Amino acid sequence: MSRLVGDTLVMAERNLIRLPRQPDMLLGFTVQPIMFVLLFAYVFGGAIKVEGDYVDFLMPGIIVQSIAFGGFVTALGLCEDLNKGLIDRFRSLPTARAAVLAGRAIADLVTNGLSLVILVVTGVIIGFDFRTGLLEVVAGFGLLLLFGFTSSWVFALIGMNASTPEAANGIGFTLIFPLTFISSAFVPSESLPDVLRFIADVNPITHVVGAVRHFWLGAPAGDFVWASLVWTVVLLGIFVPLSIAKYRKVASK
Amino acid sequence: MTQTHPGPAIEAVGLKKSFGDVHALRGVDLTAEAGTVLGVLGPNGAGKTTVVRILTTLLAPDAGTARVAGIDVVKDPGPLRSKIGLAGQYAAVDENLTGAENLTMFGRLYGDKRPAAKKRAADLLERFRLEAAGDRLVRTYSGGMRRRLDLASALVTEPPVLFLDEPTTGLDPRSRLDLWETIEELVVGGTTVLLTTQYLDEADRLADDIAVIDQGQVIARGTADELKGKVGGDRLDVTFAEVAQAEAAVEPLGAIASETPSVHGTTVRVVLAERQGVVTRAVHALDAKGLEAEDLEIRRPTLDDVFLTLTGRSAVAAESETDGDDVSDDQDRSEVAA
């Protein structure tokens, strides 16, 4: 077990030192979320009717979307490692089996943390306001990081199944993008047509967004908080074993 | 570095592996005594990499058994991994780390603490003449430098058994020689090496024993000299302007050959009975028939010659069977061989 922790930290460190050396990857979780915030707040903001201020409504939604995509670095990185033969080398070492994947997920936690700070600062500049106590605000951040950790394991599986980083990008985008839009992230789910509304109401994104709105804005908790915790546990329970099983068998392309 | 268990350092019996309908290995037996170099020689797609992947625990065989450093590859992959090193044709190092960062990372993944791993990285960089480039990102390295770093990465724990999968494929001649010298130094230190290669000269220079592998089977084994004994001596290739001239030259060139020369397009390939003075004798023999050669070249036997002799097929043809798109400009040769 201590071997797993040590090896995971070595892998996480590796993923983090190489990140600033790929400026194009950095743009993905720094500039891109800011762009989304500004586009939504000022382009759609006037047209979408919500109770209260749209910026307040929007920020939890856009942050959850950004965190849901946070695992992209993992998918692209794993796919690249596979194509370059690095995974073969890692697998030939007496290294804990889960360390390569767990190291990715831990590194994503750090980059997600960075994205979160950038997004919240941007939000505050354009008028977002926390309406709850420190404890609730922190709980919101904790839930977001946990959700990001889950997303990393989903993307790990995508990355190992894609033939190229471009394919990983395509698969990830096609899966996650609709999921973030057919939810209450950007519009109230009541405003959606029946079928989409049904999808939105069971969508984990809706639950996480609802929970964050509860923690940060004092919106009613409803089922959101416990449902988002159940979702993360269920998703981790599915994707951690699947990803590790895939890693044990995966062959360099 | 030296071996502590009895028996061969590498011993594989009846290895079989299929990928769907493709039978990559059809029962491969290999043995390498401790401290020796076993060369696994074959064209692309022969199954060389599959052998390496099985012996380094990356892939489970469908049938057969293998022990490396006395440890069962299938039953005890965990303990085995700390006794082997793997380096290969893909130069599997992280391009966005420096050379020193790569080696330190691999050392720590083998279980070393950071200071010990850093010290070891510095030693290896010096030994592989990379100390000046140690703090540069690997993406700025030349192909030869990457291969050296790749090899260094496989040696962070001084493993008793080293697997080199086509270590010089794609390298320029100077880097190739360079890497050969490095591998030779390792072997002097007592490491057992399994080396796969497509090049007879590489196996000839580095390997104590050679196993020739084709379509997932070992079709010949022995020392380089024994193999060359089977393949015959040096070759003289005589090229003419026209096919008809080449065909007419078979008879006169037979005088200097150990077997009937073969025609490959406009080239006549002569297996030489002896090397002394053959060019003069060949020119005289051709002159007597009024034939004028465009080009004469004496060369050492190649993998292609080994294949022609052992299988009746050219290695180039064997490659195009598996790869399809990899038919080179040697097309005419493969047709004759097929």
Side-chain angles (χ1 to χ4, degrees):
Chain A
M1 195 61 194
S2 71
R3 193 66 212 264
L4 172 61
V5 174
D7 291 343
T8 299
L9 291 179
V10 174
M11 292 310 305
E13 184 183 319
R14 171 236 173 184
N15 296 331
L16 290 172
I17 12 184
R18 69 204 296 278
L19 210 51
R21 296 166 186 170
Q22 298 167 283
D24 45 335
M25 294 277 267
L26 266 178
L27 281 182
F29 49 90
T30 51
V31 177
Q32 197 170 306
I34 296 178
M35 182 195 79
F36 261 98
V37 170
L38 298 179
L39 286 176
F40 265 90
Y42 296 114
V43 177
F44 298 117
I48 300 172
K49 293 282 166 274
V50 295
E51 272 179 57
D53 183 19
Y54 185 65
V55 169
D56 284 345
F57 181 86
L58 170 70
M59 284 318 293
I62 211 143
I63 286 175
V64 171
Q65 184 196 40
S66 170
I67 295 293
F69 278 105
F72 242 119
V73 184
T74 283
L76 299 181
L78 280 176
C79 198
E80 191 190 327
D81 285 354
L82 267 176
N83 289 335
K84 295 257 163 78
L86 260 167
I87 295 289
D88 269 0
R89 163 150 285 146
F90 289 139
R91 287 181 62 222
S92 78
L93 301 177
T95 303
R97 297 318 247 167
V100 169
L101 304 180
R104 285 277 170 197
I106 300 287
D108 285 349
L109 271 185
V110 176
T111 53
N112 277 334
L114 179 67
S115 281
L116 267 178
V117 170
I118 292 171
L119 281 161
V120 167
V121 168
T122 311
V124 167
I125 291 171
I126 62 167
F128 179 79
D129 218 354
F130 292 105
R131 308 231 183 87
T132 51
L134 182 65
L135 225 62
E136 284 96 336
V137 171
V138 171
F141 278 105
L143 176 65
L144 285 165
L145 290 177
L146 181 66
F147 184 62
F149 186 74
T150 310
S151 143
S152 295
W153 289 95
V154 178
F155 274 104
L157 195 62
I158 293 173
M160 286 186 287
N161 281 296
S163 54
T164 59
E166 289 76 18
N169 199 35
I171 300 169
F173 213 69
T174 316
L175 281 178
I176 311 290
F177 207 64
L179 208 59
T180 60
F181 272 82
I182 309 172
S183 75
S184 70
F186 305 107
V187 294
S189 62
E190 301 85 59
S191 70
L192 296 169
D194 284 347
V195 178
L196 294 188
R197 183 176 172 180
F198 174 77
I199 298 173
D201 285 343
V202 295
N203 187 343
I205 302 276
T206 298
H207 295 124
V208 178
V209 171
V212 174
R213 285 191 183 125
H214 167 68
F215 285 130
W216 287 359
L217 301 166
D223 297 333
F224 294 140
V225 176
W226 71 262
S228 43
L229 288 175
V230 168
W231 265 116
T232 53
V233 171
V234 168
L235 289 173
L236 284 172
I238 295 169
F239 284 95
V240 171
L242 277 183
S243 296
I244 292 176
K246 178 71 186 172
Y247 173 80
R248 297 174 88 115
K249 280 186 298 197
V250 82
S252 284
K253 292 147 195 160
Chain B
M1 295 278 288
T2 44
Q3 140 163 352
T4 50
H5 63 90
I10 300 170
E11 190 172 28
V13 182
L15 291 183
K16 289 186 183 166
K17 184 73 195 179
S18 300
F19 301 100
D21 295 339
V22 182
H23 301 291
L25 300 182
R26 301 158 188 261
V28 167
D29 300 341
L30 292 171
T31 310
E33 296 302 329
T36 67
V37 180
L38 171 64
V40 176
L41 179 68
N44 275 338
K48 302 189 299 289
T49 298
T50 307
V51 167
V52 170
R53 292 178 63 82
I54 290 173
L55 295 179
T56 53
T57 77
L58 297 178
L59 193 67
D62 296 336
T65 57
R67 296 176 85 79
V68 173
I71 301 172
D72 192 299
V73 171
V74 178
K75 290 189 190 124
D76 290 311
L80 176 56
R81 290 189 189 110
S82 47
K83 298 199 179 284
I84 54 171
L86 168 65
Q89 52 183 321
Y90 301 109
V93 285
D94 190 331
E95 292 192 350
N96 288 307
L97 296 184
T98 67
E101 283 168 349
N102 266 291
L103 293 174
T104 309
M105 169 177 72
F106 292 126
R108 291 174 72 197
L109 291 174
Y110 270 112
D112 287 347
K113 297 268 175 267
R114 188 195 300 262
K118 277 195 166 170
K119 172 77 174 55
R120 178 79 184 133
D123 291 347
L124 282 168
L125 287 171
E126 195 186 328
R127 175 162 159 204
F128 285 82
R129 282 166 290 116
L130 290 166
E131 63 268 50
D135 291 325
R136 260 168 49 201
L137 293 187
V138 173
R139 63 179 185 223
T140 67
Y141 282 23
S142 69
M145 288 165 77
R146 275 179 206 224
R147 291 298 173 92
R148 293 213 299 276
L149 183 67
D150 182 54
L151 185 52
S153 306
L155 294 173
V156 286
T157 55
E158 305 249 341
V161 184
L162 186 62
F163 293 88
L164 303 175
D165 190 11
E166 302 201 11
T168 66
T169 296
L171 285 188
D172 60 82
R174 159 106 181 64
S175 310
R176 200 160 167 243
L177 261 175
D178 212 48
L179 208 70
W180 283 356
E181 282 166 15
T182 312
I183 295 169
E184 280 165 346
E185 284 166 28
L186 280 173
V187 176
V188 171
T191 309
T192 308
V193 178
L194 185 148
L195 165 100
T196 74
T197 181
Q198 309 183 39
Y199 308 113
L200 187 63
D201 58 341
E202 185 161 291
D204 188 7
R205 166 139 182 191
L206 296 174
D208 299 299
D209 281 300
I210 298 172
V212 182
I213 187 169
D214 178 42
Q215 297 183 341
Q217 279 176 317
V218 176
I219 56 169
R221 64 182 86 221
T223 64
D225 284 340
E226 286 167 353
L227 272 182
K228 273 187 284 179
K230 282 185 192 166
V231 176
D234 288 342
R235 275 25 186 202
L236 176 70
D237 287 347
V238 188
T239 306
F240 296 91
E242 287 162 30
V243 178
Q245 291 175 299
E247 281 162 357
V250 169
E251 192 263 311
L253 288 172
I256 53 167
S258 64
E259 55 190 77
T260 311
S262 52
V263 181
H264 305 261
T266 57
T267 300
V268 183
R269 192 184 287 186
V270 186
V271 180
L272 295 173
E274 57 171 332
R275 201 181 163 124
Q276 208 67 41
V278 285
V279 175
T280 323
R281 288 175 61 196
V283 172
H284 282 312
L286 292 174
D287 260 353
K289 297 279 178 182
L291 292 162
E292 196 178 337
E294 292 210 321
D295 190 35
L296 285 102
E297 188 195 357
I298 298 186
R299 58 179 181 80
R300 320 253 303 135
T302 63
L303 174 64
D304 208 31
D305 299 313
V306 176
F307 259 73
L308 267 174
T309 311
L310 292 175
T311 68
R313 289 180 298 119
S314 143
V316 179
E319 209 166 295
S320 58
E321 277 167 26
T322 46
D323 284 2
D325 56 354
D326 208 357
V327 182
S328 64
D329 46 11
D330 285 352
Q331 186 75 358
D332 53 336
R333 251 204 250 170
S334 24
E335 277 165 13
V336 173

